[in-house]
Amino acid sequence: DPGEPLWIDPVDSTTMHFVASGRGSLRTRRAAHGLGTGWLAIVPPESPHTIAAESDSIIVVCGHVVVSYGDGRDVFGALPDALAVDTHDNPEVALAFSSLLEEHRNPRLGSSRMQTALMDQCVVAVFRKICQNPACELPWLQAVEDPQLAPALNEILANPARRHSVDSLAAAAHLSRAAFARRFSSTFGTAPMAYVSEVRLREGAQMLAAGQPVAHVAHVVGFASRSHFSRAFTKRFGVAPGAYAQQNSDRPGVSDE
């Protein structure tokens, strides 16, 4: 109901919120996202957030998922912020979440497997919705089924701190250095090592928000020194790591901004 926002604690997996009815908003540390009936919000791991109703009540079905492939981690872990997707024109998503809620309320033989299958259906629908046009909001999804780029992407996401190079990633993809660089840049819209740096910095931002010391974060995510990490982080986020940690230590919606 309208009033105080509902605070959602951070967890180590992706959180999904499906709006069964009503209108409202989801607020993270970085932005506010409007939601309406049939919308699905995807919140990356370790991201505290709030959900608030507008004038009328809002009914939201929530759940935690880990979306991975190969030996990789949650592929939504690289999201810089929550993603709100309008699925109101896809009745399969609404039916799947309705069925999920029913299975949760009235567990029966095979309910666990049924819920997993229903969630898989929702995730596939979301993937299709996000990348149904050339302006894909998550271009790395296009590489998930690529038999050559997928191993290199998996190496980056699963081991961002490893000493990756264009040569090592090309070897994982079984492509020449030049062919890999062209193919990767065409798919992701950025050079391989720039993408590696982006993944490291996003993971570093999550660790800082969780209260980890700057020097420790710099080492864990793969930077040679704290100063190198600080320069790259400041350039990417517009604020130094220490200041970012302080600014993001409070719950969203409660700061003085």
Side-chain angles (χ1 to χ4, degrees):
D1 294 328
E4 286 296 318
L6 174 65
W7 165 256
I8 311 294
D9 288 318
V11 294
D12 60 0
S13 57
T14 296
T15 302
M16 286 191 173
H17 301 290
F18 178 75
V19 182
S21 65
R23 296 192 62 81
S25 63
L26 181 146
R27 181 176 178 82
T28 66
R29 293 186 177 111
R30 300 187 64 177
H33 305 267
L35 300 174
T37 301
W39 280 68
L40 179 66
I42 303 169
V43 184
E46 306 299 343
S47 300
H49 54 285
T50 61
I51 294 179
E54 291 188 351
S55 57
D56 298 319
S57 62
I58 183 172
I59 298 176
V60 183
V61 181
C62 308
H64 303 301
V65 297
V66 176
V67 184
S68 61
Y69 64 96
D71 296 325
R73 65 185 61 191
D74 189 337
V75 296
F76 286 120
L79 280 174
D81 192 29
L83 182 66
V85 184
D86 182 3
T87 64
H88 83 276
D89 57 352
N90 189 331
E92 293 181 358
V93 175
L95 178 60
F97 272 100
S98 176
S99 299
L100 274 170
L101 187 59
E102 178 61 25
E103 291 288 342
H104 179 73
R105 287 173 172 169
N106 302 294
R108 293 162 288 175
L109 179 65
S111 280
S112 178
R113 289 192 176 185
M114 179 63 74
Q115 291 180 57
T116 298
L118 289 167
M119 185 57 73
D120 287 345
Q121 179 182 343
C122 292
V123 170
V124 170
V126 169
F127 283 177
R128 289 174 175 172
K129 181 72 174 183
I130 292 173
C131 286
Q132 66 182 3
N133 56 63
C136 179
E137 295 181 75
L138 298 176
W140 49 262
L141 288 177
Q142 300 170 12
V144 170
E145 296 182 354
D146 189 305
Q148 290 181 292
L149 284 186
L153 177 63
N154 185 64
E155 278 294 308
I156 297 171
L157 295 177
N159 304 288
R162 185 170 291 172
R163 293 187 176 181
H164 298 296
S165 66
V166 176
D167 289 326
S168 68
L169 295 173
H174 301 290
L175 292 168
S176 70
R177 188 181 194 279
F180 170 74
R182 286 195 302 270
R183 191 160 169 176
F184 191 98
S185 297
S186 175
T187 299
F188 295 102
T190 188
M193 296 313 297
Y195 187 84
V196 171
S197 180
E198 176 69 10
V199 171
R200 288 172 174 171
L201 290 171
R202 290 177 180 176
E203 182 160 315
Q206 292 181 4
M207 294 177 67
L208 289 170
Q212 297 293 318
V214 176
H216 172 72
V217 172
H219 173 72
V220 169
V221 300
F223 281 82
S225 66
R226 172 175 174 161
S227 60
H228 183 196
F229 171 71
S230 294
R231 288 195 297 271
F233 190 94
T234 303
K235 182 178 180 180
R236 169 63 177 82
F237 292 98
V239 63
Y244 181 93
Q246 288 184 329
Q247 292 173 7
N248 291 279
S249 61
D250 294 330
R251 294 181 175 184
V254 184
S255 66
D256 293 331
E257 296 181 357

